[in-house]
Amino acid sequence: NEGLVIDNTIEHMMSLDYPRDALRVYVIGDASTDQTPQLAQAAALRYPGNVFHLRREKGGQGKAHTLNHGLAHVLDNDWMEAVLITDADVQYSRDALTRMVRHLPDPKVGAITAYIKEGSDPGGFVSRSIAFEYITAQAASRRAQNVMGVMACVAGGAQLHSRENLIAIGGAIDTSTLAEDTYTTFLTELSGRRALFDPSAVVWAEEPDALTSLWKQRLRWARGNLQLSWAFRHAWFRPFSHRGIGGWVFG
């Protein structure tokens, strides 16, 4: 149910500084009951061959299931060389995608994430606090992780994967954890490819501006990270198995 933002998001994607014949936008609807399907279908008519609407009739199973519904379609087509996974309320700067894809010619790189900034306007105290947090959690921490050669998380709203990387990690997103973006990042690195953070690729996301919504979001993240820590318990503090994730500093 993203009817308030989906049309604007599609228009932003279609206005990127990126070759139109090399760009396709797939809107994966999770059994929406508002006007989201109608808006997505109208966009597909405005941009034939560039915008597609895929609807799941059974919704509510979580983001990973919805993503897998879309990935099954795009991986089935040889045309696709890379996939950008984003959210309905994320908007990209005009050159963000171009800056992200420039890393893909390196076969050692499997995934790239952008610099997500808090974009609520006007923002309140909570969203402004999140904006400051994003500066420290992304602009600082992820730059440091680039230097370390290991990335903790390719952000869920801005993750670009090469086709080869998606196939290497199983061609689907793990559905057993609430932190599917971090899980995918770890699989990428454990399979031998790098995950990178490009601070010059800027995207904007709308974050919670109420303490109740923020609490629910962070509780979901915390549960996901606990699930993730258990799932990859074999990797922690074992530099002989993986120099990055298994390193003492990263652990």
Side-chain angles (χ1 to χ4, degrees), residues 17 94 229:
D17 290 333
R94 289 180 64 90
S229 297

Side-chain angles (χ1 to χ4, degrees), residues 120-194:
S120 300
D121 185 23
F125 173 77
V126 174
S127 62
R128 290 175 182 174
S129 300
I130 295 174
F132 176 77
E133 176 201 10
Y134 275 14
I135 295 173
T136 57
Q138 296 194 54
S141 297
R142 285 180 176 161
R143 284 175 187 264
Q145 291 165 16
N146 270 347
V147 175
M148 292 168 57
V150 58
M151 188 62 52
C153 179
V154 174
Q159 47 179 318
L160 178 70
H161 296 273
S162 67
R163 183 187 190 94
E164 291 77 11
N165 184 58
L166 281 174
I167 293 174
I169 64 175
I173 305 298
D174 179 78
T175 59
S176 66
T177 172
L178 295 173
E180 76 286 331
D181 47 3
T182 309
Y183 200 104
T184 301
T185 305
F186 282 16
L187 287 182
T188 295
E189 294 170 320
L190 290 173
S191 68
R193 289 180 172 84
R194 285 198 67 187

Side-chain angles (χ1 to χ4, degrees), residues 48-60:
N50 289 111
V51 176
F52 304 86
H53 176 237
L54 301 176
R55 176 177 172 83
R56 296 187 73 222
E57 296 300 332
K58 181 182 179 181

Side-chain angles (χ1 to χ4, degrees), residues 46-127:
R46 288 198 307 274
Y47 301 105
N50 289 111
V51 176
F52 304 86
H53 176 237
L54 301 176
R55 176 177 172 83
R56 296 187 73 222
E57 296 300 332
K58 181 182 179 181
Q61 292 179 298
K63 181 179 178 179
H65 287 276
T66 308
L67 289 176
N68 288 335
H69 183 74
L71 288 176
H73 282 268
V74 297
L75 283 172
D76 192 46
N77 191 328
D78 292 338
W79 181 88
M80 187 275 288
E81 296 179 352
V83 172
L84 175 71
I85 297 176
T86 185
D87 295 330
D89 59 353
V90 175
Q91 295 183 4
Y92 282 67
S93 301
R94 289 180 64 90
D95 63 347
L97 181 56
T98 305
R99 291 181 178 274
M100 294 173 75
V101 299
R102 61 181 174 168
H103 301 282
L104 289 180
D106 184 349
K108 296 179 181 179
V109 175
I112 303 99
T113 191
Y115 179 13
I116 298 181
K117 293 187 176 183
E118 207 291 315
S120 300
D121 185 23
F125 173 77
V126 174
S127 62

Side-chain angles (χ1 to χ4, degrees), residues 9-27:
T9 299
I10 295 172
E11 290 296 329
H12 268 81
M13 294 300 292
M14 295 309 301
S15 67
L16 294 175
D17 290 333
Y18 201 81
R20 182 66 63 86
D21 61 352
L23 179 67
R24 293 182 183 177
V25 177
Y26 285 82
V27 183

